[in-house]
Amino acid sequence: MDVRELKTLANHLRKTVLEMAWVAGSGHIGGSFSCAEILAVLYERILNVDPRNPHKHDRDIFILSKGHAAPALYFILAHKGFFEKEKLLTLRKKGSILQGHPDMHKVPGVEISTGSLGMGISNGIGFCLGNRLNEINSTVYVLCGDGELNEGQCWEAFSAAVKFGLDKLVVLVDRNQVQLDGTTEEIMPMPNLAARIEAFGWQVYKCDGHSVEDLLEVLTKAKAERGAPKLILAETVKGKGVSFMEGQYIWHGKPLNEEEYRRAKKELGELTI
Amino acid sequence: MSEEMKPMRLAVSEALVAYGKKNPDIVVLDADTSNSTQTKLFGQAFPDRFFNVGISEANMVSIAAGLSLAGKIPFATSFAFLLAYRAGDQVRSQVAYGRLNVKLIGSYCGLSDHADGASHQGVTDVSVMRALPNMTVVCCTNLTEVYQVVEAAAEYPGPVYIRVSRAECRRLFNPATHPFRIGKGIELRSGEDVGIIGTGTIMEAALQAAEQLEAQSIGVTLVELHTVKPLDRELLLQCARRTKALVTCEENNVFGGLYGAVTEVLARHHPVPVIPIGIQDRFGDTGSYAELLEEYGLTAGHIVRAAYHLLERK
């Protein structure tokens, strides 16, 4: 996929997630929209994964540490063919494989069940250590939220990744500046985020998380550089793509009413599944 | 059986090393307690398969989760209370919910870390782990078992919590005649008058109590249930049908551990009186191990008195 197609794919993700959340009556729209380009670029251009062989031993690993962005992950996995697209509109319904947060035993392509925040970076460390012992040359990617970095376990993991010299670990932070109760600045400010993480010994990159070109460039660089674990601070907007959602904390997990659904749909464009 | 006494925590680490030689896929993690838990032995034998993450138990369990999905069999070790609580969400949300092949060794269980006091004494970890779906809970009772539990747990599918004492213990029986199988209790005596069911190191006291009762011609069925979950219900029911009165013995809170597990089964299938010997819903304390066991009602004498009480009621 070229840059234009990737942008279209990200927009398609937003349209689909909107529809999924509408039919489900709930879902985390804001945080799913903010990582649309990230997931599109990762799954179309970066990750060595095979939907026909989800467990192939030399695959790259992607961990959605911010598990509430499940709708976005489900979209991209269905798009890649890990499961049938028809299942997408069963999000959060009884009997669906698509729970509110990803279940590794129900959804092909989900490496580990997440939802309780702060665990993904540690999981990534475990995968890296195991791959190293098994002499598997994969890269492990972890997508975290910025609010998620409030969790102390993330900083435990930041120290550990450096101790173990894990330069095949790439963490992306969906830096959308908004969490559940308000902006990150209001709820728990984390000033100098890049400098803090660099001080732990990580190689930190910044990019525009909605620029497909930027993401391609930084992810390619991060994968190639040796020595330290990598962290990409992707500057994003919560609810990106729908004007009344952008930067608004209420769209962390608020269900849509009919008027909001129609307005959002108008802005994003008609959905064709 | 043998009189050789050895700290259980040391024996389990020797077992890790021995099994580590057999199976290259096992790895061991610790959170800066390896000089206490003795996992340092594994680190010395296999330095590239040992990961000390420092004082970060939540991190350790989630790292173990990742390692298990990369095809390794991780044994994540710390003090019992830390695995149950500090890493409790990680155990719950990833290991148990994901049915991951992670083995947890909760060392310094019960009151065995006697001098450190209440903060370090795991008196509820059996209850906490038992209440987790998909978790298997094994409380090692003696040295014989400890040398077998690592291999048994490694070859048992899914999450396993292994409870290990800081204290010294000896071999209580012969592994040839009493093989260790997860989920299978061991019947050591088959008398008619009263049943004593134990888990963990209190089994030594339970054995002494059985001998004292037998010396007074009281018949005792003595059963060791190292696996508290899944409980060997068949053996338990057999014991209840025969004796019609039971004493449960554990170094854990009477709420939610072995007593809970036993009475849940019996209340439903074969109600009989059951008296718990266990920690009576209080935290630990500081003192010598013997002093604490006496104070908390966990000795052979307490078990014997409980048995008399049951016999009076009969």
Side-chain angles (χ1 to χ4, degrees):
Chain A
M1 264 198 190
D2 64 20
V3 164
R4 196 187 51 83
E5 288 167 320
L6 287 166
K7 292 183 192 199
T8 306
L9 181 62
N11 178 250
H12 195 67
L13 184 155
R14 292 185 173 97
K15 287 195 272 192
T16 311
V17 167
L18 182 77
E19 196 65 28
M20 288 163 70
W22 172 243
V23 171
S26 66
H28 296 85
I29 296 176
S32 293
F33 281 13
S34 57
C35 60
E37 283 79 15
I38 291 170
L39 287 172
V41 170
L42 276 172
Y43 274 89
E44 275 297 329
R45 293 284 295 272
I46 304 289
L47 294 174
N48 172 16
V49 290
D50 181 357
R52 289 155 306 173
N53 190 1
H55 298 294
K56 69 171 187 152
H57 79 286
D58 63 343
R59 69 192 186 282
D60 285 335
I61 303 291
F62 173 74
I63 295 165
L64 183 69
S65 190
K66 52 170 283 184
H68 53 281
L73 179 64
Y74 295 154
F75 166 83
I76 204 77
L77 289 174
H79 163 78
K80 290 302 292 182
F82 280 89
F83 61 90
E84 318 76 57
K85 284 184 263 194
E86 289 68 39
K87 292 211 152 74
L88 287 172
L89 296 183
T90 68
L91 174 70
R92 291 172 166 240
K93 298 291 185 202
K94 181 150 167 38
S96 172
I97 61 168
L98 304 183
Q99 284 197 52
H101 294 75
D103 182 328
M104 60 186 286
H105 295 301
K106 295 204 161 106
V107 184
V110 172
E111 296 287 357
I112 187 165
S113 302
T114 52
S116 184
L117 296 170
M119 302 187 190
I121 306 172
S122 306
N123 294 153
I125 291 173
F127 271 105
C128 285
L129 292 172
N131 284 345
R132 192 157 66 184
L133 285 172
N134 292 332
E135 294 176 347
I136 290 172
N137 193 29
S138 317
T139 308
V140 176
Y141 296 88
V142 182
L143 178 60
C144 296
D146 53 356
E148 180 174 11
L149 297 183
N150 295 165
E151 281 286 358
Q153 187 183 348
C154 298
W155 302 85
E156 294 176 7
F158 285 146
S159 293
V162 172
K163 168 184 170 163
F164 295 122
L166 301 178
D167 64 3
K168 302 206 87 44
L169 180 63
V170 179
V171 172
L172 296 102
V173 177
D174 185 349
R175 185 72 173 117
N176 61 28
Q177 313 257 6
V178 176
Q179 45 195 112
L180 192 154
D181 281 335
T183 64
T184 55
E185 191 57 30
E186 287 168 335
I187 300 305
M188 185 46 67
M190 291 186 297
N192 312 310
L193 200 47
R196 290 191 196 192
I197 298 168
E198 260 164 8
F200 273 64
W202 285 60
Q203 177 73 45
V204 177
Y205 311 82
K206 284 187 184 180
C207 75
D208 174 351
H210 295 302
S211 158
V212 159
E213 296 94 324
D214 263 24
L215 285 164
L216 278 168
E217 187 186 327
V218 83
L219 280 163
T220 309
K221 221 196 291 186
K223 184 170 174 155
E225 284 183 21
R226 298 272 71 88
K230 330 291 170 35
L231 187 133
I232 298 170
L233 268 182
E235 305 287 346
T236 56
V237 176
K238 193 142 179 163
K240 174 82 173 175
V242 174
S243 59
F244 62 86
M245 290 182 175
E246 291 187 359
Q248 302 301 313
Y249 72 88
I250 56 163
W251 288 105
H252 171 80
K254 182 182 118 45
L256 295 149
N257 65 35
E258 178 126 22
E259 199 222 317
E260 289 158 343
Y261 166 63
R262 300 220 176 279
R263 277 176 62 199
K265 212 166 153 177
K266 198 150 176 217
E267 288 193 28
L268 292 173
E270 273 306 312
L271 173 66
T272 44
I273 286 200
Chain B
M1 261 247 77
S2 102
E3 289 314 313
E4 177 210 10
M5 297 288 281
K6 183 180 273 194
M8 188 183 272
R9 58 185 169 129
L10 175 60
V12 81
S13 290
E14 289 173 350
L16 283 168
V17 174
Y19 187 65
K21 292 183 179 130
K22 269 176 88 167
N23 187 343
D25 281 333
I26 72 157
V27 297
V28 173
L29 300 95
D30 206 303
D32 197 34
T33 57
S34 77
N35 269 305
S36 299
T37 61
Q38 305 295 301
T39 58
K40 65 177 180 183
L41 295 177
F42 190 91
Q44 285 156 8
F46 309 105
D48 59 340
R49 288 157 59 186
F50 177 68
F51 307 106
N52 193 333
V53 301
I55 310 171
S56 65
E57 296 78 15
N59 184 34
M60 176 179 68
V61 170
S62 292
I63 292 175
L67 275 160
S68 75
L69 290 168
K72 297 301 177 192
I73 306 174
F75 281 78
T77 309
S78 183
F79 297 153
F81 79 94
L82 287 167
L83 288 175
Y85 292 102
R86 190 67 65 99
D89 187 15
Q90 291 69 20
V91 173
R92 162 205 177 261
S93 303
Q94 298 201 302
V95 175
Y97 179 54
R99 282 173 268 133
L100 299 182
N101 201 28
V102 171
K103 320 300 169 181
L104 302 161
I105 301 182
S107 192
Y108 278 34
C109 68
L111 303 168
S112 67
D113 189 18
H114 53 92
D116 272 346
S119 64
H120 280 58
Q121 289 160 3
V123 300
T124 55
D125 52 295
V126 179
S127 317
V128 167
M129 291 297 177
R130 197 171 76 81
L132 280 175
N134 307 322
M135 183 59 72
T136 296
V137 181
V138 176
C139 301
C140 293
T141 66
N142 72 90
L143 222 47
T144 315
E145 247 158 47
V146 172
Y147 285 118
Q148 300 170 81
V149 76
V150 167
E151 177 155 0
E155 296 178 3
Y156 193 83
V160 182
Y161 175 69
I162 302 165
R163 196 189 207 224
V164 161
S165 176
R166 182 184 179 278
E168 291 195 327
C169 57
R170 62 188 175 103
R171 295 175 191 277
L172 278 186
F173 37 78
N174 183 342
T177 50
H178 294 97
F180 177 82
R181 271 156 46 228
I182 291 180
K184 285 277 149 225
I186 299 173
E187 186 166 315
L188 297 165
R189 277 159 163 68
S190 310
E192 303 256 306
D193 300 315
V194 71
I196 301 176
I197 317 244
T199 195
T201 49
I202 200 170
M203 230 23 238
E204 177 81 66
L207 186 57
Q208 287 166 24
E211 287 167 358
Q212 287 175 39
L213 290 163
E214 281 168 351
Q216 297 157 63
S217 305
I218 295 168
V220 177
T221 288
L222 180 65
V223 168
E224 188 228 278
L225 292 181
H226 44 67
T227 308
V228 176
K229 183 177 188 179
L231 202 69
D232 189 343
R233 307 164 92 207
E234 218 178 274
L235 187 56
L236 169 62
L237 285 166
Q238 197 179 294
C239 175
R241 279 184 222 115
R242 184 190 305 141
T243 62
K244 306 179 181 53
L246 301 179
V247 182
T248 58
C249 309
E250 62 195 304
E251 205 173 302
N252 187 76
N253 199 337
V254 292
F255 294 142
L258 180 67
Y259 179 55
V262 162
T263 50
E264 283 159 19
V265 172
L266 296 181
R268 200 163 162 199
H269 297 288
H270 197 86
V272 300
V274 186
I275 293 184
I277 294 296
I279 296 170
Q280 298 289 335
D281 197 29
R282 45 185 294 212
F283 284 102
D285 200 345
T286 202
S288 76
Y289 194 31
E291 283 170 335
L292 291 180
L293 291 172
E294 180 61 52
E295 150 113 8
Y296 282 71
L298 303 171
T299 67
H302 293 98
I303 299 169
V304 167
R305 281 195 285 286
Y308 289 157
H309 193 76
L310 285 167
L311 292 164
E312 276 164 32
R313 284 168 65 171
K314 266 193 173 184

Short mmCIF file of all heavy atoms in Angstrom, two decimals, chain A residues 207-236:
data_model
loop_
_atom_site.label_atom_id
_atom_site.label_comp_id
_atom_site.label_asym_id
_atom_site.label_seq_id
_atom_site.Cartn_x
_atom_site.Cartn_y
_atom_site.Cartn_z
N CYS A 207 7.11 11.86 16.49
CA CYS A 207 6.58 12.03 15.13
C CYS A 207 5.14 12.47 15.20
O CYS A 207 4.51 12.44 16.27
CB CYS A 207 6.71 10.73 14.33
SG CYS A 207 5.51 9.46 14.78
N ASP A 208 4.63 12.90 14.05
CA ASP A 208 3.21 13.21 13.94
C ASP A 208 2.50 11.88 13.75
O ASP A 208 2.64 11.23 12.73
CB ASP A 208 3.01 14.14 12.73
CG ASP A 208 1.54 14.42 12.44
OD1 ASP A 208 0.66 13.77 13.06
OD2 ASP A 208 1.26 15.27 11.59
N GLY A 209 1.71 11.48 14.76
CA GLY A 209 1.06 10.18 14.72
C GLY A 209 -0.05 10.06 13.69
O GLY A 209 -0.62 8.98 13.52
N HIS A 210 -0.39 11.15 13.03
CA HIS A 210 -1.41 11.08 11.98
C HIS A 210 -0.80 11.24 10.60
O HIS A 210 -1.52 11.24 9.59
CB HIS A 210 -2.49 12.14 12.22
CG HIS A 210 -3.26 11.88 13.49
ND1 HIS A 210 -3.94 10.70 13.70
CD2 HIS A 210 -3.41 12.62 14.61
CE1 HIS A 210 -4.48 10.73 14.92
NE2 HIS A 210 -4.18 11.88 15.50
N SER A 211 0.52 11.36 10.55
CA SER A 211 1.20 11.46 9.26
C SER A 211 1.75 10.09 8.90
O SER A 211 2.69 9.58 9.54
CB SER A 211 2.34 12.48 9.33
OG SER A 211 3.27 12.21 8.29
N VAL A 212 1.19 9.52 7.86
CA VAL A 212 1.61 8.20 7.42
C VAL A 212 3.09 8.22 7.02
O VAL A 212 3.85 7.30 7.33
CB VAL A 212 0.69 7.76 6.26
CG1 VAL A 212 1.33 6.70 5.42
CG2 VAL A 212 -0.65 7.30 6.81
N GLU A 213 3.48 9.31 6.38
CA GLU A 213 4.89 9.43 5.94
C GLU A 213 5.84 9.44 7.14
O GLU A 213 6.85 8.74 7.17
CB GLU A 213 5.11 10.72 5.14
CG GLU A 213 4.34 10.79 3.83
CD GLU A 213 2.99 11.51 3.95
OE1 GLU A 213 2.31 11.35 5.01
OE2 GLU A 213 2.60 12.22 3.01
N ASP A 214 5.49 10.25 8.14
CA ASP A 214 6.30 10.33 9.36
C ASP A 214 6.43 8.96 10.03
O ASP A 214 7.51 8.56 10.47
CB ASP A 214 5.61 11.25 10.39
CG ASP A 214 6.18 12.66 10.36
OD1 ASP A 214 6.73 13.04 9.32
OD2 ASP A 214 6.07 13.34 11.39
N LEU A 215 5.28 8.30 10.15
CA LEU A 215 5.26 7.00 10.83
C LEU A 215 6.13 5.99 10.08
O LEU A 215 6.90 5.26 10.69
CB LEU A 215 3.83 6.47 10.95
CG LEU A 215 2.96 7.15 12.01
CD1 LEU A 215 1.48 6.84 11.79
CD2 LEU A 215 3.38 6.72 13.41
N LEU A 216 6.01 5.99 8.77
CA LEU A 216 6.84 5.06 7.98
C LEU A 216 8.31 5.33 8.22
O LEU A 216 9.11 4.40 8.43
CB LEU A 216 6.52 5.22 6.50
CG LEU A 216 5.28 4.48 6.01
CD1 LEU A 216 4.90 4.94 4.61
CD2 LEU A 216 5.53 2.97 6.02
N GLU A 217 8.66 6.60 8.20
CA GLU A 217 10.08 6.96 8.35
C GLU A 217 10.60 6.56 9.73
O GLU A 217 11.65 5.92 9.84
CB GLU A 217 10.23 8.48 8.15
CG GLU A 217 11.69 8.92 8.11
CD GLU A 217 11.82 10.44 8.07
OE1 GLU A 217 10.92 11.09 7.48
OE2 GLU A 217 12.80 10.95 8.64
N VAL A 218 9.85 6.90 10.77
CA VAL A 218 10.35 6.66 12.12
C VAL A 218 10.35 5.16 12.45
O VAL A 218 11.27 4.67 13.13
CB VAL A 218 9.58 7.52 13.15
CG1 VAL A 218 8.27 6.86 13.55
CG2 VAL A 218 10.42 7.75 14.38
N LEU A 219 9.36 4.44 11.97
CA LEU A 219 9.31 3.00 12.27
C LEU A 219 10.43 2.25 11.56
O LEU A 219 11.00 1.31 12.11
CB LEU A 219 7.94 2.42 11.87
CG LEU A 219 6.83 2.68 12.89
CD1 LEU A 219 5.45 2.47 12.28
CD2 LEU A 219 7.01 1.78 14.12
N THR A 220 10.74 2.68 10.37
CA THR A 220 11.85 2.06 9.63
C THR A 220 13.16 2.33 10.36
O THR A 220 13.99 1.43 10.52
CB THR A 220 11.90 2.60 8.19
OG1 THR A 220 10.60 2.48 7.62
CG2 THR A 220 12.90 1.82 7.35
N LYS A 221 13.33 3.56 10.79
CA LYS A 221 14.55 3.93 11.52
C LYS A 221 14.65 3.13 12.83
O LYS A 221 15.69 2.57 13.15
CB LYS A 221 14.50 5.43 11.86
CG LYS A 221 15.84 6.12 11.67
CD LYS A 221 15.92 7.47 12.35
CE LYS A 221 15.05 8.54 11.71
NZ LYS A 221 15.29 9.86 12.33
N ALA A 222 13.53 3.09 13.56
CA ALA A 222 13.54 2.43 14.88
C ALA A 222 13.88 0.95 14.76
O ALA A 222 14.60 0.39 15.58
CB ALA A 222 12.18 2.61 15.56
N LYS A 223 13.35 0.33 13.73
CA LYS A 223 13.60 -1.11 13.56
C LYS A 223 15.07 -1.38 13.29
O LYS A 223 15.63 -2.38 13.73
CB LYS A 223 12.74 -1.65 12.41
CG LYS A 223 12.88 -3.16 12.23
CD LYS A 223 11.86 -3.71 11.26
CE LYS A 223 12.15 -5.19 11.02
NZ LYS A 223 10.97 -5.93 10.62
N ALA A 224 15.72 -0.46 12.59
CA ALA A 224 17.10 -0.69 12.15
C ALA A 224 18.15 -0.36 13.21
O ALA A 224 19.18 -1.03 13.29
CB ALA A 224 17.38 0.11 10.88
N GLU A 225 17.88 0.65 14.03
CA GLU A 225 18.93 1.08 14.97
C GLU A 225 19.15 0.08 16.08
O GLU A 225 18.22 -0.48 16.63
CB GLU A 225 18.60 2.47 15.52
CG GLU A 225 18.90 3.53 14.46
CD GLU A 225 18.66 4.95 14.94
OE1 GLU A 225 18.65 5.17 16.16
OE2 GLU A 225 18.48 5.83 14.08
N ARG A 226 20.40 -0.10 16.41
CA ARG A 226 20.76 -1.10 17.42
C ARG A 226 21.11 -0.46 18.74
O ARG A 226 21.36 0.72 18.82
CB ARG A 226 21.99 -1.92 16.95
CG ARG A 226 21.82 -2.73 15.69
CD ARG A 226 21.28 -4.13 16.00
NE ARG A 226 19.88 -4.09 16.41
CZ ARG A 226 18.85 -4.15 15.56
NH1 ARG A 226 19.06 -4.22 14.27
NH2 ARG A 226 17.63 -4.12 16.01
N GLY A 227 21.14 -1.26 19.78
CA GLY A 227 21.70 -0.82 21.05
C GLY A 227 20.70 -0.66 22.18
O GLY A 227 20.88 -1.23 23.25
N ALA A 228 19.66 0.11 21.95
CA ALA A 228 18.74 0.39 23.05
C ALA A 228 17.31 0.04 22.62
O ALA A 228 17.03 -0.02 21.42
CB ALA A 228 18.80 1.86 23.41
N PRO A 229 16.40 -0.17 23.57
CA PRO A 229 15.00 -0.29 23.19
C PRO A 229 14.50 1.07 22.68
O PRO A 229 15.04 2.11 23.05
CB PRO A 229 14.29 -0.68 24.49
CG PRO A 229 15.23 -0.36 25.58
CD PRO A 229 16.61 -0.30 25.02
N LYS A 230 13.48 1.05 21.82
CA LYS A 230 13.03 2.27 21.14
C LYS A 230 11.64 2.67 21.60
O LYS A 230 10.79 1.80 21.78
CB LYS A 230 12.96 2.08 19.61
CG LYS A 230 13.91 1.10 19.03
CD LYS A 230 15.34 1.59 19.11
CE LYS A 230 16.35 0.49 18.75
NZ LYS A 230 15.98 -0.44 17.75
N LEU A 231 11.43 3.98 21.72
CA LEU A 231 10.10 4.47 22.04
C LEU A 231 9.74 5.59 21.09
O LEU A 231 10.51 6.54 20.93
CB LEU A 231 10.01 4.94 23.50
CG LEU A 231 8.59 5.30 23.93
CD1 LEU A 231 8.25 4.68 25.27
CD2 LEU A 231 8.37 6.80 23.98
N ILE A 232 8.58 5.46 20.46
CA ILE A 232 8.12 6.48 19.52
C ILE A 232 6.96 7.22 20.16
O ILE A 232 5.91 6.63 20.45
CB ILE A 232 7.65 5.82 18.20
CG1 ILE A 232 8.83 5.08 17.55
CG2 ILE A 232 7.06 6.86 17.26
CD1 ILE A 232 8.45 4.19 16.39
N LEU A 233 7.17 8.51 20.41
CA LEU A 233 6.09 9.35 20.95
C LEU A 233 5.33 9.89 19.75
O LEU A 233 5.80 10.81 19.06
CB LEU A 233 6.67 10.52 21.74
CG LEU A 233 6.87 10.35 23.24
CD1 LEU A 233 7.41 11.62 23.84
CD2 LEU A 233 5.57 9.97 23.94
N ALA A 234 4.17 9.29 19.48
CA ALA A 234 3.40 9.70 18.31
C ALA A 234 2.39 10.75 18.76
O ALA A 234 1.48 10.44 19.53
CB ALA A 234 2.70 8.49 17.71
N GLU A 235 2.59 11.99 18.31
CA GLU A 235 1.68 13.08 18.70
C GLU A 235 0.37 12.90 17.93
O GLU A 235 0.37 12.89 16.70
CB GLU A 235 2.31 14.45 18.37
CG GLU A 235 3.69 14.68 18.99
CD GLU A 235 3.65 14.92 20.50
OE1 GLU A 235 2.56 15.19 21.04
OE2 GLU A 235 4.72 14.85 21.14
N THR A 236 -0.71 12.73 18.69
CA THR A 236 -1.99 12.42 18.06
C THR A 236 -3.10 13.25 18.69
O THR A 236 -2.86 14.01 19.64
CB THR A 236 -2.35 10.93 18.27
OG1 THR A 236 -2.33 10.67 19.69
CG2 THR A 236 -1.38 10.01 17.57
#
